Amino acid sequence: MTNRKLTSLLFALIFTSSILLGCSIDKSELIKVKGNGLTYSEYFKAYDGLDEREHITYYKPFLINEEGSSLPIQIKDTMNKIDSDKLPFKVDEEKAYLVESKDKNGKIKHQVQLSYLGMDEYEQTNDFFIVSVTEADKNPIELYDITDQVDSVGNKLIKEQLTENLSIYQQVLTTNSALLFTYYEENENGIIATGTAANEFYAYYNGHIYHIGYLLDNEKNVTEMQKKMLQFVREYILASKLPL
């Protein structure tokens, strides 16, 4: 993947940063909606506790691929659109989700999800690239030496270096079973958490937990593609350094 292609995708992180930092959002422009469920890594939830969040607030998702989208103007002015043609599948829907929770001290924690979905002829999700970024006070896996080579159901688990001192984990679909990869969707009842199989990445960087999943046709999920996606995700995360 060329630097130009990668740069186009990394523009989305400007948008993510503006939400997570809370420095440019007028929340009066965001619409609260009903919601049910949370998204998290099934394998790493024992470390980060993201499945145990409480006092949840869901906001209506906004389109990020149209000039006339419902994106609040403060966010729109700080983001550049992703060139979805650079993803390894045809993107039919691009949405951003914002979910808030409060910790035991009443501090608000934000989670942002960027969804790039490819649909089949029946308008069902077929391929996707989904980024979930959640604020975290500390690295949840810092004190653990995770050396497993497979996840809980036998799929390949690869530990790689994100930086000199931080790791990134890659879960590759190599069996007929899979841990649930959950992501937010919108339906007539509001926001729901949907579960499916996916190739996953998990890392902590600069005060945020990154949980990323992608799904492609099986014939495309070859070793070369897995290596390309690892490198892409690694660079994607490192380019998202937020202001201190």
Side-chain angles (χ1 to χ4, degrees):
M1 186 173 288
T2 66
N3 288 336
R4 183 173 178 274
K5 292 178 180 178
L6 182 59
T7 300
S8 296
L9 282 168
L10 294 176
F11 282 143
L13 291 168
I14 300 173
F15 160 64
T16 304
S17 300
S18 68
I19 293 179
L20 292 174
L21 291 175
C23 60
S24 61
I25 291 181
D26 176 3
K27 289 183 181 176
S28 65
E29 293 194 26
L30 299 177
I31 302 171
K32 293 182 180 180
V33 295
K34 294 181 179 179
N36 183 30
L38 294 168
T39 63
Y40 49 85
S41 164
E42 187 71 26
Y43 186 80
F44 288 97
K45 67 180 183 180
Y47 302 98
D48 61 31
L50 292 187
D51 61 323
E52 299 176 350
R53 285 171 287 161
E54 297 180 340
H55 309 292
I56 311 300
T57 301
Y58 302 86
Y59 292 93
K60 184 175 180 59
F62 23 85
L63 301 176
I64 57 177
N65 64 337
E66 297 178 3
E67 290 295 338
S69 74
S70 57
L71 195 66
I73 188 65
Q74 292 89 344
I75 300 173
K76 187 182 294 186
D77 286 347
T78 61
M79 78 171 272
N80 291 289
K81 294 187 301 182
I82 291 176
D83 184 353
S84 57
D85 291 337
K86 305 304 190 256
L87 286 173
F89 60 90
K90 179 181 179 295
V91 175
D92 298 301
E93 179 179 291
E94 303 177 25
K95 279 187 177 181
Y97 294 76
L98 173 63
V99 174
E100 292 180 346
S101 60
K102 291 183 180 179
D103 63 20
K104 61 183 179 180
N105 297 317
K107 182 180 179 180
I108 293 178
K109 298 293 180 67
H110 298 93
Q111 180 183 44
V112 172
Q113 176 185 296
L114 304 179
S115 298
Y116 306 97
L117 311 180
M119 306 297 188
D120 62 20
E121 57 184 313
Y122 304 105
E123 297 299 317
Q124 300 298 311
T125 300
N126 194 38
D127 304 313
F128 61 73
F129 181 77
I130 296 175
V131 181
S132 177
V133 187
T134 310
E135 290 178 309
D137 293 329
K138 60 182 180 180
N139 184 350
I141 54 178
E142 181 178 16
L143 302 179
Y144 300 93
D145 183 19
I146 302 172
T147 57
D148 298 337
Q149 296 184 354
V150 295
D151 65 19
S152 307
V153 294
N155 287 306
K156 185 184 295 185
L157 179 65
I158 305 168
K159 180 181 180 180
E160 297 282 357
Q161 291 303 117
L162 178 65
T163 67
E164 182 178 353
N165 300 313
L166 295 173
S167 300
I168 181 171
Y169 292 86
Q170 180 179 20
Q171 291 171 259
V172 180
L173 292 174
T174 53
T175 74
N176 293 326
S177 300
L179 296 174
L180 281 180
F181 174 77
T182 54
Y183 61 95
Y184 296 117
E185 282 190 325
E186 182 183 25
N187 65 15
E188 64 277 6
N189 297 316
I191 306 302
I192 61 170
T194 298
T196 188
N199 303 280
E200 301 182 45
F201 298 91
Y202 184 95
Y204 173 87
Y205 184 65
N206 199 34
H208 297 85
I209 295 168
Y210 289 81
H211 183 212
I212 299 171
Y214 75 92
L215 186 65
L216 302 171
D217 292 337
N218 288 335
E219 59 267 25
K220 292 183 180 179
N221 190 37
V222 296
T223 301
E224 182 180 356
M225 176 62 74
Q226 294 159 13
K227 290 181 179 179
K228 287 181 178 179
M229 293 303 293
L230 172 61
Q231 183 60 22
F232 167 70
V233 168
R234 181 191 282 119
E235 294 180 5
Y236 183 87
I237 292 172
L238 292 178
S240 69
K241 184 175 182 180
L242 306 181
L244 298 177

